[in-house]
Amino acid sequence: MLAGAAALFGGVHLPFAMGALPKEAGNAGLPGINPLEKPRNLFSSTFTPEVLSKSLISASNWHPYPKASERDAWQEVHKEVADKAVARAEKVNGTAWEALPATVFLEYKQTGNRSHFERYFFTRRTRLMDLVLGECVEGKGRFLDEIVNGVWVECEETFWGLPAHLSLQRVHPSSGLPDIEEPIVDLFAADTGAVMSWIHYLLGDQLNQFNPMITQRIQFEVKRRILEPAFERDDFLWMFKEYKNEKHNLNNWTPWIDSNWLTANLLLEPDANRRKAVILKICRSVDQYLEDYSPDACCQEGPGYWNVSPGSYFDCCTLLTSATGGAGNPLINPFVRKMFRYIADVHINGQWFVDYGDAPPKMEQSGEFIYRIGTAINDSMLQAYGAFNASAAALPGEAVTDDQGHLGRVFPSLLVSATAVGSEKKDALIRDSWYPDLGLMTARVKEETVEGFYLAMQAAPNQRPHGHNDSGSFIVFRDGNPIFVDIGPEAYTAPRYKFSVQSAYHNLPTVGGVMQSNKDPKYRASDLHYSTNDSSASVSMNLATAYPEEAGMIRWTRTLTLDRKANHIHLNEDFQLGKKAAVQLSFMTPCVPAQGPAGRVLFAAAETSARGVSLDYNSALLSVSIEKIDLTDEWLVSRWGKTIYRVLLTSTTPTEKGNWGIELA
């Protein structure tokens, strides 16, 4: 039988595979618990030149996972998961590989549309991944011809990146087509380099038997497109905090690209000295990413980026810990471990998560990946949550896959699928969490159940990576169903968003027609106060600091309280303006709202078996209107259908101050 996920690295029983780490202490941000201290230069001080000289395993001897020819390990893949992997490979085996037309590439420059090209681009990569997974699981050589075709097709691609990332080129970034003389390392060029490197590792023997020119071509292209430019250049935006002599903040691009660059370097770099030098450079880059990470260990970009931000940081940790034979392990750091716990803290129910900014409200998480993380950091809650999701997907025969073809993330999940499905299972339904730097709170009526109200609120700066103008907005669920929501981003285009970034389309006030601003990091809610106990959970903040001067806000104290005993939510808006103005409160909902008796709005739950919610307000001070919004954006339609509603509570007369109480029951 396979051992835990961490023990898959080259047969080395790493410290975190043996239960050497202490158990995770839970939410370190709750009252009475000291905040975590963020480490500095963690990678650079762990994987020093001395450690690398002594412990770094050579590329030819490094054995991080079983290869396709090592059949015992692959035959242990969970049967339903294995059958689905083979079925996906069979579906695409022998079908044509589509071209990547230059005219479709140019659409981004001409119209701002990037989705058409990306559909071609990611279909290729997902297809190649499916063929490789099917071959590794089955081991009969049935898919090898088409894998060779896919490798050759991707090696012949002019550009491994996306049209939207051409700005990284120095010579002709505005041409709309890539300059083939200047390979750049963006997210998906690095991804492709890692995919090619893993194919070389997993199936190199079989490819050499087919024709040794295949593996030679892989080595040549990865060196030309990834290893050389990443080693020689220091001016990629994602690499370091200083770019073109200016400081900027790093985001998910840094660990995401670093993890893939590290993969290619560890597997395919032939020069031992350069291999070490690249590791040291990557360590500096990853350390600078952590410098910019939220001091409370919260994923500032939201749960949709957790798997490629701290998730990619995890990949960097495990790759280097494995490649040094366990000589260093950044995962023992409490702050790093808390970064991974975040995904459970923001889980609401099923595929619903606490979204903000560009994060989607619904997403699928790889249970096997969460299980691997839980195993690696000895966090039994994350292990059980990962096993819960892995089991829920495996039993109906859902594929362990990825819609962008991230082979290096998926094949380790197959290898632990049986272990994960056979482990103790428990959903992550955490009662409280609090991240003070981001100002993120989550609260449900009772631990381990979706029954009753769920409340989440965040006070993040509007000018942040993937940020919207949403500081102080909140989310409400009832019995696991959405009531008031953050609708998430529209599809990425050049102009990007029509309305979803605006504060008026979040659960926030608008004063005299003025919305929140993101023109400066100062625009965020302030004066945060948070408390929780068995009876209630409450957070308050001053929203005035998230608005420009034109709004005329002197003070706006918003307080939200989840009453656990009564199963109610109370919203209080206490404000003072510099002059009289019309004030509106927006409530975004997928439910069908209807005006009830005076002072009440009724929200029918989308699920017919679920209970609806009533919103009570003072009708002498506020009037209600209901706006039906027809959705046409493909991303929004995929989440909410063709309709979303905005309920507006508007001051009956222009006002200078107020103290409004609103009750949800």
Side-chain angles (χ1 to χ4, degrees), residues 502-517 542-558 573-586 622 646 648-651 653-658 660:
Q502 301 175 41
S503 64
Y505 293 90
H506 291 81
N507 302 316
L508 286 163
T510 302
V511 178
V514 179
M515 299 182 287
Q516 286 191 5
S517 176
N542 178 20
L543 297 184
T545 49
Y547 289 75
E549 290 183 5
E550 306 91 86
M553 287 185 177
I554 297 173
R555 172 187 54 80
W556 191 297
T557 303
R558 164 171 279 192
E573 310 280 21
D574 182 5
F575 62 91
Q576 177 70 52
L577 307 179
K579 60 180 181 180
K580 288 186 178 181
V583 176
Q584 284 188 328
L585 301 179
S586 295
L622 296 164
R646 183 168 68 145
L648 294 169
L649 294 183
T650 305
S651 57
T653 61
T655 185
E656 205 169 8
K657 62 180 179 179
W660 301 340

Side-chain angles (χ1 to χ4, degrees), residues 56 58 265 269-279:
L56 182 62
S58 67
N265 178 64
E269 176 53 64
D271 185 312
N273 290 328
R274 178 174 283 201
R275 191 165 176 259
K276 293 176 187 177
V278 166
I279 291 171

Side-chain angles (χ1 to χ4, degrees), residues 11 44 58 60 84 137 190 211 235 249 287 441 443 479 549 569 600 602 606:
S44 297
S58 67
S60 58
K84 191 66 175 181
V137 168
N211 191 310
D235 62 342
N249 290 328
D287 283 342
M441 69 90 77
D479 299 334
E549 290 183 5
I569 290 177
R600 175 168 291 183
L602 302 173

